[in-house]
Amino acid sequence: MFSFFANPARFMVLSRWLAPLLGAAAAVCLVLGLYLAAMAPVDYQQGETVRIMFVHVPAAWMGLFCYMCLAGASFVGLVFRHSLADVAARAAAPMGATFTALALVTGSLWGRPMWGTWWAWGDARLTSEFILFVFYLGYMALHMAIDDEARSARAAAILAMVGVVNLPVVHFSVEWWNSLHQGASVLRKGGPAMPKVYLIPLLLMTLGYTTLFGSLWLVQIRAAVWKKRANALTRAQAEA
Amino acid sequence: MSDLIHVFAGRYAAYILPAWGLSILALAWMTASAVLTAHRWRKAAQARDALSDGDPPL
């Protein structure tokens, strides 16, 4: 499967229709999700602030999901040396960093009225999420710091592999340690612990964020393929 | 409609509006950045393609 999609020509044909399709799905999910989120009833404990959940939870989920994509692509690039894998990993990093930053900021905006504080360094969920953000920044910085493309991709891929250790820490931190952050309320034993009036807009928003990432990831990879082609043609014309 | 008024003018609007606003801005920025970058490099590749005789590797 890797070699099938690693062919840039085949990827360009496939992504040409898949990227707009995912983009349209994202637009529908986000518009509908935001509307239902704005119309959802006020929570009896959290009041209006429950509406922050609809942008915070999908951003936090995407921070983890993008890192899984980044690490998976890095692994394929490192082990199988497929031409598109490094490009895919590199394209996922800025979007993952943006989603993680959004999760941190919206979480802080939610935490202030609910916990009485913007931030708590002693909290495992908050700190591990911040470490995830630092891994994204480190990955991008490493890519920029080394001029040789193959060397920078290899070094960044190794860093991405190391960062995978942090993913279960982020996810299970609320179970392993006492935390200000609430426990899992969607992906948990016994099913989601929230009524459908909150669950449906939350799932719609999550699907919207995920499909938007899928669409933009493909667009970014296409841009990188065109950039390589433009540079290759420039070199060929200069040598001729 | 009264729910919407609470979102935009309720007691916690100072927390909800920045959270929603920043999220929408970030998504819009990511979309615009990706689409414009792709557009720029597609144009560049096509312009160089027009000058080229051969078909260099991707």
Side-chain angles (χ1 to χ4, degrees), chain A residues 61-124:
Chain A
W61 150 250
M62 288 312 298
L64 291 173
F65 182 70
C66 289
Y67 201 89
M68 283 191 267
C69 293
L70 187 157
S74 295
F75 177 78
V76 172
L78 201 62
V79 175
F80 300 103
R81 303 286 165 98
H82 280 297
S83 57
L84 277 180
D86 290 331
V87 169
R90 201 171 178 177
M95 289 189 282
T98 308
F99 282 123
T100 308
L102 270 181
L104 289 168
V105 173
T106 55
S108 187
L109 284 163
W110 197 7
R112 182 69 183 91
M114 290 299 103
W115 306 331
T117 183
W118 298 100
W119 186 261
W121 282 112
D123 189 280

Side-chain angles (χ1 to χ4, degrees), chain A residues 96-216:
Chain A
T98 308
F99 282 123
T100 308
L102 270 181
L104 289 168
V105 173
T106 55
S108 187
L109 284 163
W110 197 7
R112 182 69 183 91
M114 290 299 103
W115 306 331
T117 183
W118 298 100
W119 186 261
W121 282 112
D123 189 280
R125 169 59 69 87
L126 273 61
T127 310
S128 58
E129 185 75 10
F130 182 74
I131 291 169
L132 178 66
F133 181 61
V134 172
F135 265 108
Y136 276 120
L137 295 186
Y139 178 89
M140 291 188 287
L142 204 51
H143 251 301
M144 284 188 272
I146 303 171
D147 285 335
D148 182 271
E149 209 170 295
R151 276 187 59 220
S152 75
R154 209 160 39 243
I158 290 166
L159 179 68
M161 303 279 105
V162 174
V164 170
V165 174
N166 188 44
L167 299 185
V169 177
V170 175
H171 184 72
F172 293 109
S173 54
V174 288
E175 293 176 23
W176 292 344
W177 295 284
N178 284 325
S179 174
L180 280 173
H181 199 282
Q182 69 181 66
S185 49
V186 179
L187 297 173
R188 64 193 278 275
K189 285 177 190 167
M194 66 171 74
K196 280 183 182 167
V197 73
Y198 294 132
L199 186 63
I200 290 170
L202 181 62
L203 292 180
L204 271 172
M205 290 296 287
T206 306
L207 188 62
Y209 274 51
T210 310
T211 47
L212 181 69
F213 165 72
S215 172
L216 296 182

Side-chain angles (χ1 to χ4, degrees), chain A residues 11-97:
Chain A
F11 169 82
M12 293 303 266
V13 172
L14 183 73
S15 61
R16 188 174 183 177
W17 60 266
L18 193 56
L21 194 71
L22 287 172
V28 171
C29 289
L30 290 174
V31 168
L32 198 58
L34 276 176
Y35 174 75
L36 292 177
M39 290 301 170
V42 174
D43 184 70
Y44 78 105
Q45 278 185 322
Q46 304 196 20
E48 290 287 350
T49 60
V50 73
R51 296 187 204 285
I52 297 175
M53 171 180 75
F54 301 110
V55 288
H56 168 73
V57 174
W61 150 250
M62 288 312 298
L64 291 173
F65 182 70
C66 289
Y67 201 89
M68 283 191 267
C69 293
L70 187 157
S74 295
F75 177 78
V76 172
L78 201 62
V79 175
F80 300 103
R81 303 286 165 98
H82 280 297
S83 57
L84 277 180
D86 290 331
V87 169
R90 201 171 178 177
M95 289 189 282

